[in-house]
Amino acid sequence: MPTATAQRDEADVVVIGSGAGGAPVAAALAEAGAKVVVLEKGPYYTLRDFTHDEVAICMRDFFVPYPHEDPHTIVKGEEQRAKRTREGWTSQCVGGGTVHMSGFTYRLHEQDFKLATLTGGLAGADIADWPITLEELEPWYDLAEARVGISGKAGINPFERRKRPFPMPPLAAHPISKLVDEAAQSMGLHPFPTPRAIVSRALGNRPPCNQCGFCGEYGCENNAKSSVLASLIPAAEATGRCDIRSGCMVKRIVADDQDRVRSVEYVDRENRPHQIQARAVVLAATAIESARLLLLSSSARFPQGLANKTGLVGKNLTFSTFGKGTGIFDKQALMAKLGKENFDLPFVQRSIQDHYWIADKSLPFPKGGTYNFLFHHPNAINAGLRMVKDADYALWGQALKDRLREYFHDELWLEFEIFGEFLPTAGTFVDLDPEVTDRWGLPVARIHVKHHPADEAVNTWMTRRGLEILKAMEPKAKKVEAWTWGSTTFHLQQGTCRFGDDPAKSVLDRNCQSHEVKNLYVTDGSFMPTSGGVPCTPTILANAFRVAEQIRRRLVGRESE
């Protein structure tokens, strides 16, 4: 219980987390007339805070906390002990992970919503169909894309169903995209311009992309990236009914003896305790941290954690399987074929989804994913570390300087990465660490990760196909190699509070409301029964708008149940 000195206030809706799952709810409900308070653990950055300082932004605690201060712990595969880690954090700041995302914005496909039905299931994997369809979610994808600002080209990807064009045209592509197209098409594949959460032309007071290329890992210095910080947070605050409270660590959600949330307890940046009452609470702190908060909010009525009488909170955690390959090309050879015009553009802007569903009987599972072609990140320190690692750590001094000069001046590193299905298993889940606490003295999230062999096999298969595309390009690459396959992208996380129609098999109903606590909603990736073969952020945005409409109807109707 809060101390006697806790400051108390109230709101119609309290939203915990301000990223892709929280900002749409805050904006939509504030615009509908509700009093909304958003509690965000991290700081509220502005454009002046965003620089290309690789040390300050990527290697310190600008977005992700240091493990000695505020860790997660992780147990991988057959390991017995958990280790402190930064894995599983997306970002701690207003806007969440959307602030430093690269902004690859694909929709789910119809197969994603009925994976269990289509496959008949798979031994060792807890695959479930979604309780809603792509058709139900489609208008909310449209709304989310329009509200945040998505660029792309409709009608060219034969594997995506969409009824409307993108809000704005695709970003300009580097000339090497033509070679990707030629190679892929020679193999019977269908490359298409990558849809991006980056504006290609002015949108309101937001200017078009300045083509700096520092999207992933960095905040955007001119608001061209369509983070919720640049789009939805300003819209929410403009209503005068949304209060964004940064630097606020939520410690507990409190429910009454009628199984309804009554209040949220948190401390501010000065560690002063607060309690805020609400008619509805929306939890959107990421799949890992939302599950952790529910587990921390145990009580006599919910001894295993709030909304967790079934014991399913934290279970069915999924990420994205990840594969990556690199082709190293000679710049002069490329310019000789393509010309020098637009050769400084930073984006390849090519994706392929021919292997989203794979009809190869040798594979244990048919669900694949998406190929995304891009350049190696422009970070200089990252490049140096890559050179050293590629040389088995036998490169230093003048030899390293020479290699870096060659890398930046003579070579062009074209890469592909794969977003693949991560199968939910009993070995991948989140619980509370019994030994490690954060700086507030609370047990941290302990992440258990154990891949199903089928998703590793499919990701490896796709990585090999990706290498074949790079090898088919003309002029030939100096070197083509796999960087990784069957690995994990931890910042894409889903499933710890999956939604469904059966309360015995799911934590949330089809509207992402807790089966057990009728005014508690979860709108980050926790609700997703399966990961999909694309980054989850666009789906989280779309679903959050969908859920916000359900909450709006309840609030307008003055419902208490």
Side-chain angles (χ1 to χ4, degrees):
M1 296 296 294
T3 64
T5 58
Q7 299 182 41
R8 293 174 171 83
D9 59 0
E10 61 183 25
D12 292 319
V13 181
V14 171
V15 180
I16 303 170
S18 60
V25 175
L29 294 181
E31 289 166 349
K35 178 184 177 182
V36 180
V37 171
V38 178
L39 301 176
E40 168 58 52
K41 181 181 179 183
Y44 198 149
Y45 292 131
T46 67
L47 296 185
R48 290 186 177 183
D49 296 305
F50 299 138
T51 71
H52 295 167
D53 184 335
E54 186 177 355
V55 173
I57 304 300
C58 303
M59 297 184 173
R60 293 183 178 161
D61 62 342
F62 189 84
F63 287 120
V64 176
Y66 293 127
H68 66 275
E69 290 184 349
D70 195 4
H72 286 147
T73 61
I74 193 166
V75 183
K76 293 184 178 180
E78 303 302 324
E79 295 175 353
Q80 299 299 311
R81 291 189 59 82
K83 302 175 183 178
R84 286 177 179 254
T85 184
R86 298 177 79 169
E87 301 285 18
W89 291 115
T90 54
S91 180
Q92 291 187 13
C93 67
V94 174
T98 69
V99 175
H100 63 69
M101 67 179 178
S102 296
F104 305 121
T105 313
Y106 316 92
R107 298 183 179 190
L108 290 176
H109 293 201
E110 289 187 87
Q111 297 101 321
D112 292 306
F113 293 81
K114 48 187 178 182
L115 199 55
T117 297
L118 290 173
T119 63
L122 181 68
D126 190 8
I127 305 168
D129 290 342
W130 289 44
I132 63 173
T133 64
L134 175 57
E135 185 175 6
E136 291 176 79
L137 194 57
E138 192 169 24
W140 303 105
Y141 274 127
D142 292 338
L143 176 63
E145 290 176 357
R147 289 295 305 264
V148 303
I150 304 298
S151 56
K153 185 176 182 179
I156 193 170
N157 176 13
F159 305 100
E160 181 185 58
R161 190 189 80 181
R162 61 181 302 127
K163 299 174 183 176
R164 295 186 179 183
F166 284 93
M168 58 191 71
L171 295 168
H174 188 281
I176 202 171
S177 63
K178 300 175 183 177
L179 304 185
V180 176
D181 289 345
E182 292 172 0
Q185 289 165 357
S186 74
M187 300 168 62
L189 305 176
H190 301 80
F192 59 92
T194 302
R196 300 292 292 271
I198 302 173
V199 297
S200 58
R201 62 188 181 199
L203 180 64
N205 62 357
R206 296 168 55 196
C209 176
N210 65 5
Q211 304 287 338
C212 75
F214 285 82
C215 300
E217 300 187 34
Y218 293 88
C220 182
E221 67 269 25
N222 70 346
N223 273 344
K225 186 192 297 185
S226 295
S227 67
V228 299
L229 179 63
S231 56
L232 299 179
I233 295 295
E237 291 186 303
T239 66
R241 291 183 290 273
C242 181
D243 181 9
I244 308 291
R245 301 181 185 178
S246 60
C248 293
M249 171 62 182
V250 177
K251 303 178 78 171
R252 184 179 179 83
I253 301 172
V254 181
D256 61 17
D257 58 6
Q258 300 298 311
D259 295 342
R260 291 178 297 182
V261 170
R262 285 306 186 192
S263 63
V264 174
E265 297 174 1
Y266 69 97
V267 292
D268 61 24
R269 59 174 53 89
E270 280 78 37
N271 208 34
R272 294 173 299 196
H274 297 259
Q275 183 185 67
I276 181 168
Q277 294 183 329
R279 295 172 57 199
V281 170
V282 179
L283 183 51
T286 75
I288 289 171
E289 284 297 300
S290 288
R292 176 197 179 203
L293 181 55
L294 291 176
L295 295 174
L296 286 172
S297 300
S298 59
S299 65
R301 291 185 68 83
F302 295 97
Q304 299 183 89
L306 185 62
N308 192 33
K309 292 178 180 178
T310 60
L312 292 175
V313 170
K315 301 298 192 296
N316 300 305
L317 172 64
T318 62
F319 298 101
S320 175
T321 57
F322 186 68
K324 183 176 182 178
T326 304
I328 302 176
F329 292 84
D330 181 88
K331 279 187 178 180
Q332 295 304 316
L334 291 174
M335 288 182 182
K337 181 171 183 177
L338 299 169
K340 296 182 179 181
E341 186 178 2
N342 294 324
F343 215 80
D344 291 332
L345 289 174
F347 303 130
V348 180
Q349 283 295 108
R350 285 300 181 270
S351 298
I352 296 172
Q353 292 189 325
D354 289 74
H355 298 144
Y356 206 88
W357 193 262
I358 306 171
D360 188 327
K361 299 299 183 183
S362 68
L363 290 173
F365 197 68
K367 179 62 189 301
T370 301
Y371 302 91
N372 174 46
F373 287 83
L374 67 169
F375 291 128
H376 189 237
H377 200 288
N379 275 346
I381 298 173
N382 175 273
L385 293 172
R386 177 78 180 267
M387 302 299 108
V388 171
K389 187 172 182 179
D390 285 353
D392 198 22
Y393 301 95
L395 191 63
W396 66 88
Q398 187 61 46
L400 176 57
K401 292 180 181 179
D402 293 342
R403 183 69 191 93
L404 283 169
R405 186 176 297 108
E406 181 182 27
Y407 167 81
F408 280 107
H409 294 285
D410 303 328
E411 297 175 345
L412 194 65
W413 285 42
L414 175 66
E415 300 187 325
F416 67 84
E417 56 187 18
I418 296 167
F419 303 104
E421 191 75 34
F422 188 111
L423 294 169
T425 71
T428 303
F429 62 96
V430 59
D431 60 7
L432 299 179
D433 194 292
E435 300 176 358
V436 181
T437 58
D438 63 14
R439 55 194 173 101
W440 293 276
L442 300 172
V444 304
R446 180 172 60 178
I447 307 163
H448 304 255
V449 182
K450 193 169 184 179
H451 272 274
H452 194 287
D455 62 38
E456 290 184 319
V458 173
N459 190 266
T460 301
W461 184 95
M462 289 190 66
T463 302
R464 288 172 176 159
R465 302 293 87 73
L467 295 175
E468 291 174 4
I469 298 170
L470 292 179
K471 291 175 182 177
M473 291 176 60
E474 294 287 350
K476 294 294 184 183
K478 296 162 51 178
K479 185 178 182 181
V480 173
E481 62 180 354
W483 175 247
T484 186
W485 54 57
S487 56
T488 306
T489 301
F490 286 98
H491 56 271
L492 301 176
Q493 48 187 260
Q494 309 85 204
T496 55
C497 301
R498 65 165 48 167
F499 74 161
D501 292 329
D502 186 349
K505 297 180 179 180
S506 56
V507 177
L508 310 172
D509 68 14
R510 61 174 50 228
N511 293 321
C512 293
Q513 179 180 232
S514 166
H515 288 299
E516 300 173 6
V517 183
K518 295 304 181 183
N519 58 343
L520 172 66
Y521 297 79
V522 184
T523 56
D524 52 36
S526 304
F527 80 95
M528 296 173 63
T530 51
S531 70
V534 293
C536 56
T537 305
T539 300
I540 294 171
L541 286 164
N543 183 68
F545 275 114
R546 184 184 71 89
V547 174
E549 175 60 16
Q550 301 302 317
I551 299 173
R552 184 195 67 80
R553 292 176 181 177
R554 287 191 61 194
L555 292 177
V556 169
R558 308 300 297 180
E559 297 179 32
S560 60
E561 293 291 336

